[in-house]
Amino acid sequence: MSLQHVNMSLSGQNISCDTCHAAKYCMYAALTCSEQDEFKKMVRHQTPLRPGEHSFIAGDRLKSIHIVHSGLVKSYIDSSDGERQITGFHLPGDVLGLNGMHLKNHTDSVDALVTSDVCQIDLAQFVHASKSKPMLRQQLLLAAYRQLSNGQKMMLMLGKVSAERRLAYFLLNLSRRSKEHGLSPDQITLSMTRQDIANYLGLVVETVSRLFTKLQHDGILNVERRTVNINNYKMLENVAENHHDHSGSSAKFQRKLTL
Amino acid sequence: MSLQHVNMSLSGQNISCDTCHAAKYCMYAALTCSEQDEFKKMVRHQTPLRPGEHSFIAGDRLKSIHIVHSGLVKSYIDSSDGERQITGFHLPGDVLGLNGMHLKNHTDSVDALVTSDVCQIDLAQFVHASKSKPMLRQQLLLAAYRQLSNGQKMMLMLGKVSAERRLAYFLLNLSRRSKEHGLSPDQITLSMTRQDIANYLGLVVETVSRLFTKLQHDGILNVERRTVNINNYKMLENVAENHHDHSGSSAKFQRKLTL
DNA sequence: CGATGTATTGAACTCGATCAAACAGTGTGG
DNA sequence: CCACACTGTTTGATCGAGTTCAATACATCG
């Protein structure tokens, strides 16, 4: 099994940071013992989210910090005219809903893609605890800065990058994160639909589907429904970086990619 | 005579928060007197930036917080293969370069579009002062959250929105911000080139130019080089919101827009 | 089994990009 | 003052990447 099944069978209340599989990806890991004790006291759990259920939606009062404990969730914003843009897929340890903090209301929504647990840390308690334990605040801040930097990269993607490169970049990113989470970087499971991937990348499903087929024909990937095997990491990076060497593309390999 | 000329003739060292025209748009305004005193002690100024000069570039050691004092600057990131994406235009009071904080190095670059002053607040001093004056930190945090929220809206724009809507949205945004800065919301000066606008919106110059012409033909705008007059605010909003009623578009007005 | 949601594939179309040319300001130097 | 180069903007003609529409395949589940 993969990403999404970690801890899926735990009941909400049995979860503790001590036994949390995701603790090492969580801000929890960066805290000292006494800070961790403080942290543990603040953590509450929603009942596990079934696929499609949401952790919170835009407009909800923002009274907690949310951190993915297990599973996989997507965050998205909706525009006035009904468009939706998926703004991220989030793995255990990821902090959710920081945008919106300044308004005390969520500006985005979060749905589970697979059965997922999301921890909640009461904001008031957190702020209070931060006074004596500044590292708590520090860690939240770091998460925000990381997300800012990420968002800018995403803008570059959506504004300047071709469809093929977007997908390649997406897969590499997923691969890297899978690896960080102790899973195989070569075999990745897409727990989100093609539709979700397309939306996230600013494309339509058909384009994503065609690109998967193309990358498979090029010998870069093996795609089997939701399972993707990366056969040629280097070539995938070339596609992502637009080193448009792998010239003839499909049908047959042409040169050693060192050319 | 607009946005960009505020204070352009001040020499770097004469600037003080007490006399700063932008103080009310700055985090400074949210501070108490004693906090303001602390803040003032930390502020340093670069010599005024001439158009095209940069305040900092990606990779620079991040040792200060930057805040626009006067003028107009753009921030952008470059990709490995030479693409550039402008990530924002920044008016007085805006905080720059928060992304990158987590790495202690700037991940984006900032160039002046017109003669501009940028204040620098030494990060070490700021962190130290924050210990006794938590509101300082609080304000920086708020800026980060606002930028996060903004970035997500931008993703929606770049991923889902048509060229015409992007430009409309951009102009409305500029108009709103001009108004906030005490300038006319109807007559706005584009201190950035068409190229910059296009890049920011994920388009090419030609498209932006054509869209200006179109919006003018539709009677929504009057465009005169860098000066844009918004004749019909409501119609511009309709374009931005995709209320695709103003159906026949160009050549002749067709219905009252209440239809 | 049919029903439903997801994925792939094909054919035609379209929006915005690209290529190319002309035009308008703004210096700069003779 | 004009010739010039230079940069930014507009406009036209054509192209193409990605969308749209439509049909089919494929799983999963009642």
Side-chain angles (χ1 to χ4, degrees), chain A residues 10 26 30-31 67 76 78 94-95 105 108 116 129 145 162 173 178 216 234 241:
Chain A
L10 283 184
C26 180
L31 304 175
I67 300 178
Y76 56 89
D78 292 319
D94 287 0
V95 182
N105 279 89
D108 59 355
S116 305
Y145 293 141
S162 74
N173 219 32
S178 295
Q216 183 158 30
K234 197 80 194 106
E241 302 291 339

Side-chain angles (χ1 to χ4, degrees), chain A residues 162-163 202-204 206-207 210 225:
Chain A
S162 74
L203 303 168
V204 294
E206 293 94 326
T207 305
R210 277 182 245 274
R225 281 194 71 63

Side-chain angles (χ1 to χ4, degrees), chain B residues 139-208:
Chain B
Q139 286 301 315
L140 195 67
L141 209 47
L142 277 179
Y145 293 142
R146 267 192 292 266
Q147 287 181 25
L148 266 178
S149 168
N150 239 331
Q152 292 204 322
K153 280 188 208 140
M154 202 59 205
M155 283 187 217
L156 189 124
M157 286 262 289
L158 294 172
K160 294 282 166 311
V161 166
S162 74
E164 189 175 7
R165 288 181 61 199
R166 289 186 210 184
L167 185 61
Y169 189 88
F170 168 75
L171 291 171
L172 286 171
N173 219 32
L174 209 57
S175 165
R176 183 180 49 72
R177 299 181 73 200
S178 296
K179 193 177 171 187
E180 283 168 12
H181 283 255
L183 300 166
S184 162
D186 302 319
Q187 174 161 335
I188 56 191
T189 302
L190 305 172
S191 308
M192 65 293 283
T193 63
R194 301 282 194 271
Q195 182 60 255
D196 281 338
I197 298 173
N199 182 298
Y200 177 62
L201 298 175
L203 303 169
V204 295
V205 244
E206 293 96 324
T207 305
V208 169

